[in-house]
Amino acid sequence: MDSGTATKILSTLGHEGRLSVFRLLARRAPDALQPGEIAEICGLKPSTLSAHLSGLAEAGIVRSRRSGTSLFYSLDADRTRDFTAYLLDDCCRGRPNLCAPQTGAAKTHHPKTVLFICTGNSARSILAEALLREAGGDRFVTCSAGTRPSGQINPQVLDMLRRNGHDTETLRSKDLGEMQGPGAPQFDFVFTVCDHAANEECPAWPGQPISAHWGLPDPARATGTDAEIALAFADAYRTLDARIRTFAALPFETLDRMSLQAEADRIGKLT
């Protein structure tokens, strides 16, 4: 990347509104979002957002695609990678003591520490925590938390877990703050399982854990007959079970950080 291109990107990101849109799309990468969703999350007027998206697209760090009559925007990962490489390799001359992040090989220690986040920590993240505890055994230390926890676990979740033989005695709804600060675990993986949690800005996690969005519909919001609601909970359980069993089976010792990130993103698409 030449200095002119890098300067254009820096100038584009030098605006608070454009930076907020870019950071949202980076958090949700590789997912693509519609303008209405972006505007709501970032608190922007449609006309203002349109100008920001045009500027980011012109700089080449955001791309758009059309599906039918709908337009979707996503991070241009290749262009963003080239830009950060320019900053680290050219400006900093590749000197890690100046500005290079901790990258390279993934940590190979056991157990791996994993955190599942959703808004209420009452259904999806609780299911994920219980499923990985069983599928991963002592190879993982598993936690879950909510950005705005409800303080109690959904009764249908507890019933489903018990019927499938999971231990529920230690499960509880807790605040994300318990997972941050002095004395908190240092996580290897952080997964969001609801869109609201993925859209929120969280402080940087110590140790730069691999993160991915494993979003799925909230079964607690399902409507209809008792059978239809029960099916929504069963679908959430099956989807998370498929993702977590695939994740637990990964050959962690032989995959570098970039490969693990790609696998985490891929698993988040499994249904």
Side-chain angles (χ1 to χ4, degrees), residues 236-252:
Y237 180 94
R238 283 194 294 267
T239 299
L240 285 169
D241 188 47
R243 293 176 183 177
I244 285 167
R245 290 187 183 279
T246 303
F247 171 73
L250 290 176
F252 293 96

Side-chain angles (χ1 to χ4, degrees), residues 42 120 156 213:
C42 295
Q156 294 199 59
H213 180 47

